């Protein structure tokens, strides 16, 4: 929004409205990128603290702490009077993201029955996409509210922050977390409640066994470094890296910028972002329906083909038609680029988006689950930070070539999925070692290593 740029980034505002502006470089500003990406650096650091809190005090309290960070961040950003204040606000929002992303997927995986785990966990990603859509609608509604439309946009973020705060008070703790913290009978009671039956002995005994094994591991982060934990750790880290190198955050962060680059005005660019947000939501709903039927691998592989084709065609159009300075794309070409972006977002939203969180949350054994997921969250935030900080500069330097850069990564992702990612559909969380890793042509060799817990000898 121009009012926001004039107040905090006047150099970007001047460049944006310069008569001879470079179509690819009009928003290239390190402070503007830092405003966007510092959230994710804060989330990276917070995720490791959140891992300890999650294990020691439970998933519920971790979500409550996240909501408090969100509320503080909203106050600082919406009330910001200088660049330092809004960046500090973004950092507090980042702390909230780190705590929430650590607790929520684990919470969902632990309360879900195996046959619904994929769909329930993807609801996490679904509501993220709904949040993106709502934020785009709010931005579109407030862009002409001068001079404080941007304050309204940032301030309304307090609504979901308060919802999270109240909701995390009302929900129950997961049975696994309760039993892990020696609240055994309370854990049994909650398990009966969420399953809706009295006889939960088999699942309860499985959780007890997993907790007993977990208790013997005094240093879960050290256990993660052992060969027996390598399949889960490598896959979790790679999924997070690949998720960012699809280029999705580059497109979703800067969709208005991208659409302005190809010739849409400010309002039209924001409206185009609303369209991509709608595609994002409905495609995630497709994933909820399909993931526990078709499985994880088929969704990931199909999306690689879809995203690759979309990125390559966008790159070709921009390379041939959009020059550094001068006229933008024609209206027809601009609309075609929006359709291609929607096709790309569609493929991501029913695959790498939700499954990038689902798979890491379900493949770790209990003794390394929280620590392993902390690595996944922190890796995601690190590479989100890198892409967020670098994308506008990359767009300026690489121009249309940036889409070929991301397309090349999609090929690598597809090969990794084909050869190294096993199917986890319908497998109970605590049976992954026997039913998945010991059966895989490559990863089973790591399971042959000594799998005894790290018991400290006194």
């Amino acid at each position: 929004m121009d009012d926001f740029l004039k107040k905090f980034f006047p150099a970007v505002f001047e460049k944006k409205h310069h008569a001879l502006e470079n179509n690819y470089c009009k928003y290239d500003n390190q402070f503007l990128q830092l405003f966007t990406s510092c959230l994710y650096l804060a989330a990276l650091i917070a995720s490791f603290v959140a891992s300890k809190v999650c294990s020691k005090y439970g998933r519920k309290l971790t979500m409550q702490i996240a909501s408090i960070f969100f509320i503080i961040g909203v106050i600082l950003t919406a009330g910001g009077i200088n660049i330092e204040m809004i960046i500090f606000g973004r950092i507090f929002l980042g702390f909230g993201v780190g705590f929430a992303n650590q607790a929520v997927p684990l919470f969902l995986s632990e309360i879900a029955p195996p046959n619904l785990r994929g769909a329930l966990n993807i609801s996490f990603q679904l509501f993220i996409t709904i949040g993106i859509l709502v934020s785009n609608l709010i931005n579109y509604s407030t862009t002409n509210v001068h001079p404080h439309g941007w304050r309204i946009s940032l301030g309304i973020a307090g609504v979901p922050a308060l919802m999270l705060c109240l909701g995390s008070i009302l929900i129950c703790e997961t049975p696994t977390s309760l039993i892990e913290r020696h609240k055994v009978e309370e854990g049994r009671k909650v398990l009966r409640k969420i399953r809706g039956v009295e006889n939960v002995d088999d699942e309860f005994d499985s959780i007890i066994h997993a907790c007993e094994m977990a208790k013997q591991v005094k240093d879960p982060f050290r256990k993660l470094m052992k060969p027996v934990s390598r399949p889960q750790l490598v896959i979790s880290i790679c999924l997070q890296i690949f998720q960012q190198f699809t280029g999705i955050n580059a497109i979703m962060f800067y969709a208005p910028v991208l659409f302005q680059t190809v010739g849409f005005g400010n309002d039209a660019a924001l409206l185009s972002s609303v369209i991509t947000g709608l595609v994002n939501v409905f495609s995630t709903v497709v994933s909820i329906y399909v993931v526990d039927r078709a499985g994880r691998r088929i969704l990931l592989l199909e999306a690689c083909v879809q995203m690759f084709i979309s990125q390559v065609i966008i790159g070709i159009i921009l390379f041939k038609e959009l020059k550094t300075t001068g006229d933008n794309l024609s209206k027809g070409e601009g609309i075609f680029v929006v359709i291609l972006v929607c096709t790309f977002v569609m493929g991501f939203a029913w695959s790498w988006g939700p499954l990038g969180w689902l798979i890491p949350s379900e493949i770790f054994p209990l003794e390394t689950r929280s620590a392993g997921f902390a690595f996944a969250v922190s890796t995601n935030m690190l590479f989100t930070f890198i892409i967020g900080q670098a994308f506008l500069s990359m767009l300026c330097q690489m121009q249309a070539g940036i889409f070929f850069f991301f397309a090349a990564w999609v090929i690598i992702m597809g090969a990794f999925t084909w050869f190294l990612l096993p199917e986890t559909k319908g497998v109970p969380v605590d049976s992954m070692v026997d039913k998945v890793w010991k059966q895989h042509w490559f990863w089973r060799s790591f399971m042959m290593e000594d799998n005894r817990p790290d018991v400290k000898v006194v």
Side-chain angles (χ1 to χ4, degrees), residues 2 5-6 9-33 260 392-393 396-397:
D2 283 349
L5 292 176
K6 277 191 285 188
F9 303 100
V12 178
F13 176 78
E14 291 298 324
K15 189 189 294 186
K16 174 183 175 182
H17 293 278
H18 197 278
L20 298 176
E21 67 183 6
N22 184 313
N23 282 323
Y24 291 101
C25 298
K26 64 177 81 172
Y27 290 95
D28 182 22
N29 180 280
Q30 286 300 311
F31 283 108
L32 179 59
Q33 293 176 119
Q260 285 185 57
L392 293 180
S393 297
C396 180
Q397 297 300 319

mmCIF file of all heavy atoms in Angstrom, residues 2 5-6 9-33 260 392-393 396-397:
data_model
loop_
_atom_site.group_PDB
_atom_site.id
_atom_site.type_symbol
_atom_site.label_atom_id
_atom_site.label_comp_id
_atom_site.label_asym_id
_atom_site.label_seq_id
_atom_site.Cartn_x
_atom_site.Cartn_y
_atom_site.Cartn_z
ATOM 1 N N ASP A 2 0.503 2.243 -0.800
ATOM 2 C CA ASP A 2 1.335 3.440 -0.925
ATOM 3 C C ASP A 2 1.508 4.176 0.404
ATOM 4 O O ASP A 2 2.594 4.701 0.699
ATOM 5 C CB ASP A 2 0.725 4.381 -1.970
ATOM 6 C CG ASP A 2 1.003 3.917 -3.399
ATOM 7 O OD1 ASP A 2 1.842 2.998 -3.551
ATOM 8 O OD2 ASP A 2 0.387 4.453 -4.335
ATOM 9 N N LEU A 5 4.169 2.410 2.293
ATOM 10 C CA LEU A 5 5.489 2.637 1.695
ATOM 11 C C LEU A 5 5.986 4.050 1.970
ATOM 12 O O LEU A 5 7.165 4.261 2.286
ATOM 13 C CB LEU A 5 5.425 2.388 0.186
ATOM 14 C CG LEU A 5 5.201 0.939 -0.267
ATOM 15 C CD1 LEU A 5 5.070 0.871 -1.782
ATOM 16 C CD2 LEU A 5 6.333 0.033 0.202
ATOM 17 N N LYS A 6 5.103 5.048 1.866
ATOM 18 C CA LYS A 6 5.516 6.436 2.105
ATOM 19 C C LYS A 6 6.020 6.633 3.529
ATOM 20 O O LYS A 6 6.983 7.366 3.761
ATOM 21 C CB LYS A 6 4.340 7.379 1.839
ATOM 22 C CG LYS A 6 4.165 7.742 0.372
ATOM 23 C CD LYS A 6 3.179 8.877 0.177
ATOM 24 C CE LYS A 6 1.759 8.404 0.367
ATOM 25 N NZ LYS A 6 0.764 9.450 -0.011
ATOM 26 N N PHE A 9 8.975 3.139 3.922
ATOM 27 C CA PHE A 9 9.926 2.820 2.851
ATOM 28 C C PHE A 9 9.802 3.849 1.726
ATOM 29 O O PHE A 9 9.408 3.519 0.599
ATOM 30 C CB PHE A 9 9.662 1.405 2.307
ATOM 31 C CG PHE A 9 9.719 0.328 3.362
ATOM 32 C CD1 PHE A 9 8.540 -0.165 3.908
ATOM 33 C CD2 PHE A 9 10.926 -0.176 3.810
ATOM 34 C CE1 PHE A 9 8.578 -1.150 4.882
ATOM 35 C CE2 PHE A 9 10.968 -1.155 4.783
ATOM 36 C CZ PHE A 9 9.793 -1.639 5.325
ATOM 37 N N PRO A 10 10.128 5.128 2.014
ATOM 38 C CA PRO A 10 9.950 6.183 1.008
ATOM 39 C C PRO A 10 10.778 5.963 -0.254
ATOM 40 O O PRO A 10 10.343 6.340 -1.349
ATOM 41 C CB PRO A 10 10.380 7.461 1.746
ATOM 42 C CG PRO A 10 11.194 6.984 2.912
ATOM 43 C CD PRO A 10 10.635 5.647 3.292
ATOM 44 N N ALA A 11 11.942 5.345 -0.111
ATOM 45 C CA ALA A 11 12.777 5.100 -1.293
ATOM 46 C C ALA A 11 12.075 4.133 -2.248
ATOM 47 O O ALA A 11 12.132 4.293 -3.475
ATOM 48 C CB ALA A 11 14.137 4.538 -0.874
ATOM 49 N N VAL A 12 11.413 3.115 -1.687
ATOM 50 C CA VAL A 12 10.671 2.164 -2.517
ATOM 51 C C VAL A 12 9.484 2.866 -3.179
ATOM 52 O O VAL A 12 9.181 2.638 -4.357
ATOM 53 C CB VAL A 12 10.184 0.967 -1.674
ATOM 54 C CG1 VAL A 12 9.376 -0.004 -2.530
ATOM 55 C CG2 VAL A 12 11.372 0.251 -1.041
ATOM 56 N N PHE A 13 8.823 3.738 -2.429
ATOM 57 C CA PHE A 13 7.684 4.481 -2.984
ATOM 58 C C PHE A 13 8.112 5.318 -4.178
ATOM 59 O O PHE A 13 7.435 5.340 -5.214
ATOM 60 C CB PHE A 13 7.065 5.371 -1.898
ATOM 61 C CG PHE A 13 5.949 6.235 -2.385
ATOM 62 C CD1 PHE A 13 4.680 5.709 -2.583
ATOM 63 C CD2 PHE A 13 6.154 7.585 -2.660
ATOM 64 C CE1 PHE A 13 3.639 6.494 -3.040
ATOM 65 C CE2 PHE A 13 5.118 8.385 -3.121
ATOM 66 C CZ PHE A 13 3.862 7.840 -3.305
ATOM 67 N N GLU A 14 9.249 6.004 -4.045
ATOM 68 C CA GLU A 14 9.746 6.825 -5.149
ATOM 69 C C GLU A 14 10.108 5.975 -6.351
ATOM 70 O O GLU A 14 9.796 6.312 -7.496
ATOM 71 C CB GLU A 14 10.966 7.640 -4.689
ATOM 72 C CG GLU A 14 10.647 8.730 -3.683
ATOM 73 C CD GLU A 14 9.709 9.786 -4.258
ATOM 74 O OE1 GLU A 14 9.823 10.098 -5.458
ATOM 75 O OE2 GLU A 14 8.838 10.283 -3.510
ATOM 76 N N LYS A 15 10.761 4.845 -6.091
ATOM 77 C CA LYS A 15 11.172 3.964 -7.190
ATOM 78 C C LYS A 15 9.954 3.393 -7.901
ATOM 79 O O LYS A 15 9.916 3.263 -9.128
ATOM 80 C CB LYS A 15 12.051 2.830 -6.642
ATOM 81 C CG LYS A 15 12.707 1.977 -7.729
ATOM 82 C CD LYS A 15 13.391 0.750 -7.139
ATOM 83 C CE LYS A 15 14.562 1.097 -6.258
ATOM 84 N NZ LYS A 15 15.284 -0.125 -5.813
ATOM 85 N N LYS A 16 8.931 3.025 -7.098
ATOM 86 C CA LYS A 16 7.710 2.442 -7.655
ATOM 87 C C LYS A 16 7.037 3.393 -8.643
ATOM 88 O O LYS A 16 6.492 2.976 -9.666
ATOM 89 C CB LYS A 16 6.755 2.087 -6.512
ATOM 90 C CG LYS A 16 5.387 1.593 -6.963
ATOM 91 C CD LYS A 16 4.484 1.338 -5.762
ATOM 92 C CE LYS A 16 3.068 0.971 -6.206
ATOM 93 N NZ LYS A 16 2.165 0.767 -5.059
ATOM 94 N N HIS A 17 7.066 4.707 -8.345
ATOM 95 C CA HIS A 17 6.343 5.681 -9.154
ATOM 96 C C HIS A 17 7.247 6.448 -10.123
ATOM 97 O O HIS A 17 6.815 7.426 -10.724
ATOM 98 C CB HIS A 17 5.597 6.667 -8.244
ATOM 99 C CG HIS A 17 4.485 6.025 -7.472
ATOM 100 N ND1 HIS A 17 3.242 5.802 -8.016
ATOM 101 C CD2 HIS A 17 4.438 5.522 -6.213
ATOM 102 C CE1 HIS A 17 2.466 5.205 -7.116
ATOM 103 N NE2 HIS A 17 3.162 5.032 -6.017
ATOM 104 N N HIS A 18 8.481 5.994 -10.261
ATOM 105 C CA HIS A 18 9.414 6.656 -11.178
ATOM 106 C C HIS A 18 9.034 6.335 -12.616
ATOM 107 O O HIS A 18 8.696 5.203 -12.947
ATOM 108 C CB HIS A 18 10.851 6.200 -10.901
ATOM 109 C CG HIS A 18 11.878 7.102 -11.501
ATOM 110 N ND1 HIS A 18 12.261 7.014 -12.814
ATOM 111 C CD2 HIS A 18 12.601 8.115 -10.959
ATOM 112 C CE1 HIS A 18 13.186 7.935 -13.066
ATOM 113 N NE2 HIS A 18 13.415 8.608 -11.958
ATOM 114 N N ALA A 19 9.145 7.310 -13.471
ATOM 115 C CA ALA A 19 8.697 7.133 -14.862
ATOM 116 C C ALA A 19 9.489 6.066 -15.601
ATOM 117 O O ALA A 19 8.957 5.365 -16.462
ATOM 118 C CB ALA A 19 8.794 8.466 -15.607
ATOM 119 N N LEU A 20 10.776 5.931 -15.291
ATOM 120 C CA LEU A 20 11.628 4.979 -16.003
ATOM 121 C C LEU A 20 11.970 3.786 -15.124
ATOM 122 O O LEU A 20 13.073 3.247 -15.194
ATOM 123 C CB LEU A 20 12.917 5.674 -16.479
ATOM 124 C CG LEU A 20 12.713 6.829 -17.468
ATOM 125 C CD1 LEU A 20 14.039 7.503 -17.791
ATOM 126 C CD2 LEU A 20 12.040 6.334 -18.745
ATOM 127 N N GLU A 21 11.033 3.377 -14.312
ATOM 128 C CA GLU A 21 11.290 2.288 -13.378
ATOM 129 C C GLU A 21 11.650 0.995 -14.107
ATOM 130 O O GLU A 21 11.206 0.724 -15.219
ATOM 131 C CB GLU A 21 10.052 2.034 -12.511
ATOM 132 C CG GLU A 21 8.880 1.492 -13.298
ATOM 133 C CD GLU A 21 7.632 1.305 -12.448
ATOM 134 O OE1 GLU A 21 7.659 1.713 -11.277
ATOM 135 O OE2 GLU A 21 6.652 0.763 -12.970
ATOM 136 N N ASN A 22 12.471 0.185 -13.447
ATOM 137 C CA ASN A 22 12.781 -1.159 -13.943
ATOM 138 C C ASN A 22 11.648 -2.072 -13.513
ATOM 139 O O ASN A 22 11.337 -2.187 -12.326
ATOM 140 C CB ASN A 22 14.122 -1.624 -13.346
ATOM 141 C CG ASN A 22 14.557 -2.962 -13.892
ATOM 142 O OD1 ASN A 22 13.779 -3.910 -13.966
ATOM 143 N ND2 ASN A 22 15.836 -3.052 -14.241
ATOM 144 N N ASN A 23 11.006 -2.743 -14.466
ATOM 145 C CA ASN A 23 9.844 -3.575 -14.147
ATOM 146 C C ASN A 23 10.164 -4.651 -13.123
ATOM 147 O O ASN A 23 9.296 -5.077 -12.359
ATOM 148 C CB ASN A 23 9.308 -4.241 -15.425
ATOM 149 C CG ASN A 23 8.478 -3.279 -16.262
ATOM 150 O OD1 ASN A 23 7.751 -2.465 -15.715
ATOM 151 N ND2 ASN A 23 8.630 -3.355 -17.572
ATOM 152 N N TYR A 24 11.394 -5.149 -13.129
ATOM 153 C CA TYR A 24 11.766 -6.239 -12.241
ATOM 154 C C TYR A 24 12.349 -5.755 -10.917
ATOM 155 O O TYR A 24 12.504 -6.542 -9.988
ATOM 156 C CB TYR A 24 12.797 -7.154 -12.924
ATOM 157 C CG TYR A 24 12.244 -7.946 -14.089
ATOM 158 C CD1 TYR A 24 12.470 -7.548 -15.407
ATOM 159 C CD2 TYR A 24 11.495 -9.100 -13.876
ATOM 160 C CE1 TYR A 24 11.969 -8.283 -16.470
ATOM 161 C CE2 TYR A 24 10.991 -9.837 -14.936
ATOM 162 C CZ TYR A 24 11.233 -9.427 -16.228
ATOM 163 O OH TYR A 24 10.738 -10.140 -17.276
ATOM 164 N N CYS A 25 12.719 -4.468 -10.820
ATOM 165 C CA CYS A 25 13.493 -3.999 -9.661
ATOM 166 C C CYS A 25 12.786 -2.938 -8.833
ATOM 167 O O CYS A 25 13.378 -2.380 -7.915
ATOM 168 C CB CYS A 25 14.849 -3.441 -10.137
ATOM 169 S SG CYS A 25 15.895 -4.660 -10.968
ATOM 170 N N LYS A 26 11.517 -2.656 -9.135
ATOM 171 C CA LYS A 26 10.855 -1.524 -8.485
ATOM 172 C C LYS A 26 10.716 -1.704 -6.971
ATOM 173 O O LYS A 26 10.614 -0.732 -6.235
ATOM 174 C CB LYS A 26 9.492 -1.254 -9.131
ATOM 175 C CG LYS A 26 8.477 -2.364 -8.977
ATOM 176 C CD LYS A 26 7.122 -1.961 -9.586
ATOM 177 C CE LYS A 26 7.130 -2.164 -11.084
ATOM 178 N NZ LYS A 26 5.760 -1.950 -11.653
ATOM 179 N N TYR A 27 10.715 -2.971 -6.481
ATOM 180 C CA TYR A 27 10.554 -3.208 -5.035
ATOM 181 C C TYR A 27 11.814 -3.764 -4.384
ATOM 182 O O TYR A 27 11.773 -4.237 -3.257
ATOM 183 C CB TYR A 27 9.395 -4.182 -4.781
ATOM 184 C CG TYR A 27 8.033 -3.604 -5.084
ATOM 185 C CD1 TYR A 27 7.441 -3.813 -6.315
ATOM 186 C CD2 TYR A 27 7.363 -2.838 -4.137
ATOM 187 C CE1 TYR A 27 6.188 -3.280 -6.603
ATOM 188 C CE2 TYR A 27 6.117 -2.302 -4.412
ATOM 189 C CZ TYR A 27 5.534 -2.528 -5.642
ATOM 190 O OH TYR A 27 4.292 -1.997 -5.925
ATOM 191 N N ASP A 28 12.925 -3.735 -5.107
ATOM 192 C CA ASP A 28 14.170 -4.306 -4.586
ATOM 193 C C ASP A 28 14.732 -3.409 -3.489
ATOM 194 O O ASP A 28 15.368 -2.386 -3.757
ATOM 195 C CB ASP A 28 15.184 -4.472 -5.722
ATOM 196 C CG ASP A 28 16.486 -5.106 -5.237
ATOM 197 O OD1 ASP A 28 16.456 -5.776 -4.182
ATOM 198 O OD2 ASP A 28 17.513 -4.925 -5.910
ATOM 199 N N ASN A 29 14.473 -3.774 -2.243
ATOM 200 C CA ASN A 29 14.927 -2.991 -1.100
ATOM 201 C C ASN A 29 15.146 -3.934 0.071
ATOM 202 O O ASN A 29 14.237 -4.658 0.483
ATOM 203 C CB ASN A 29 13.871 -1.923 -0.747
ATOM 204 C CG ASN A 29 14.276 -1.065 0.435
ATOM 205 O OD1 ASN A 29 14.137 -1.455 1.592
ATOM 206 N ND2 ASN A 29 14.792 0.133 0.140
ATOM 207 N N GLN A 30 16.354 -3.923 0.633
ATOM 208 C CA GLN A 30 16.696 -4.884 1.682
ATOM 209 C C GLN A 30 15.870 -4.677 2.943
ATOM 210 O O GLN A 30 15.511 -5.633 3.623
ATOM 211 C CB GLN A 30 18.197 -4.795 2.007
ATOM 212 C CG GLN A 30 19.102 -5.399 0.945
ATOM 213 C CD GLN A 30 18.838 -6.875 0.724
ATOM 214 O OE1 GLN A 30 18.766 -7.659 1.667
ATOM 215 N NE2 GLN A 30 18.653 -7.269 -0.534
ATOM 216 N N PHE A 31 15.535 -3.415 3.283
ATOM 217 C CA PHE A 31 14.736 -3.180 4.483
ATOM 218 C C PHE A 31 13.301 -3.675 4.300
ATOM 219 O O PHE A 31 12.692 -4.202 5.229
ATOM 220 C CB PHE A 31 14.741 -1.693 4.852
ATOM 221 C CG PHE A 31 16.016 -1.252 5.523
ATOM 222 C CD1 PHE A 31 16.929 -0.447 4.848
ATOM 223 C CD2 PHE A 31 16.309 -1.661 6.811
ATOM 224 C CE1 PHE A 31 18.100 -0.054 5.453
ATOM 225 C CE2 PHE A 31 17.477 -1.266 7.433
ATOM 226 C CZ PHE A 31 18.384 -0.456 6.752
ATOM 227 N N LEU A 32 12.763 -3.506 3.085
ATOM 228 C CA LEU A 32 11.424 -4.018 2.818
ATOM 229 C C LEU A 32 11.417 -5.540 2.914
ATOM 230 O O LEU A 32 10.496 -6.141 3.482
ATOM 231 C CB LEU A 32 10.961 -3.579 1.418
ATOM 232 C CG LEU A 32 9.573 -4.053 0.976
ATOM 233 C CD1 LEU A 32 8.502 -3.569 1.947
ATOM 234 C CD2 LEU A 32 9.271 -3.575 -0.436
ATOM 235 N N GLN A 33 12.463 -6.170 2.391
ATOM 236 C CA GLN A 33 12.566 -7.628 2.483
ATOM 237 C C GLN A 33 12.794 -8.068 3.927
ATOM 238 O O GLN A 33 12.274 -9.101 4.353
ATOM 239 C CB GLN A 33 13.694 -8.126 1.568
ATOM 240 C CG GLN A 33 13.364 -7.915 0.101
ATOM 241 C CD GLN A 33 14.501 -8.306 -0.833
ATOM 242 O OE1 GLN A 33 14.354 -9.180 -1.655
ATOM 243 N NE2 GLN A 33 15.631 -7.643 -0.705
ATOM 244 N N GLN A 260 1.652 -6.505 -10.349
ATOM 245 C CA GLN A 260 1.939 -5.150 -10.798
ATOM 246 C C GLN A 260 3.071 -5.152 -11.818
ATOM 247 O O GLN A 260 3.074 -4.375 -12.777
ATOM 248 C CB GLN A 260 2.308 -4.257 -9.614
ATOM 249 C CG GLN A 260 1.104 -3.853 -8.771
ATOM 250 C CD GLN A 260 1.468 -2.872 -7.679
ATOM 251 O OE1 GLN A 260 2.007 -1.814 -7.941
ATOM 252 N NE2 GLN A 260 1.171 -3.229 -6.440
ATOM 253 N N LEU A 392 13.063 -10.524 -3.914
ATOM 254 C CA LEU A 392 12.955 -9.299 -4.708
ATOM 255 C C LEU A 392 14.278 -8.948 -5.370
ATOM 256 O O LEU A 392 14.306 -8.454 -6.508
ATOM 257 C CB LEU A 392 12.472 -8.146 -3.825
ATOM 258 C CG LEU A 392 11.038 -8.277 -3.310
ATOM 259 C CD1 LEU A 392 10.661 -7.091 -2.436
ATOM 260 C CD2 LEU A 392 10.053 -8.426 -4.459
ATOM 261 N N SER A 393 15.397 -9.226 -4.681
ATOM 262 C CA SER A 393 16.713 -9.007 -5.292
ATOM 263 C C SER A 393 16.953 -10.019 -6.406
ATOM 264 O O SER A 393 17.526 -9.685 -7.451
ATOM 265 C CB SER A 393 17.815 -9.114 -4.232
ATOM 266 O OG SER A 393 17.666 -8.109 -3.250
ATOM 267 N N CYS A 396 15.055 -8.969 -9.392
ATOM 268 C CA CYS A 396 15.731 -7.843 -10.034
ATOM 269 C C CYS A 396 16.920 -8.318 -10.868
ATOM 270 O O CYS A 396 17.114 -7.859 -12.001
ATOM 271 C CB CYS A 396 16.189 -6.852 -8.960
ATOM 272 S SG CYS A 396 17.052 -5.395 -9.605
ATOM 273 N N GLN A 397 17.713 -9.248 -10.326
ATOM 274 C CA GLN A 397 18.929 -9.697 -11.002
ATOM 275 C C GLN A 397 18.658 -10.761 -12.060
ATOM 276 O O GLN A 397 19.211 -10.733 -13.152
ATOM 277 C CB GLN A 397 19.929 -10.233 -9.964
ATOM 278 C CG GLN A 397 20.408 -9.197 -8.957
ATOM 279 C CD GLN A 397 21.112 -8.024 -9.618
ATOM 280 O OE1 GLN A 397 21.894 -8.201 -10.543
ATOM 281 N NE2 GLN A 397 20.823 -6.810 -9.141
#
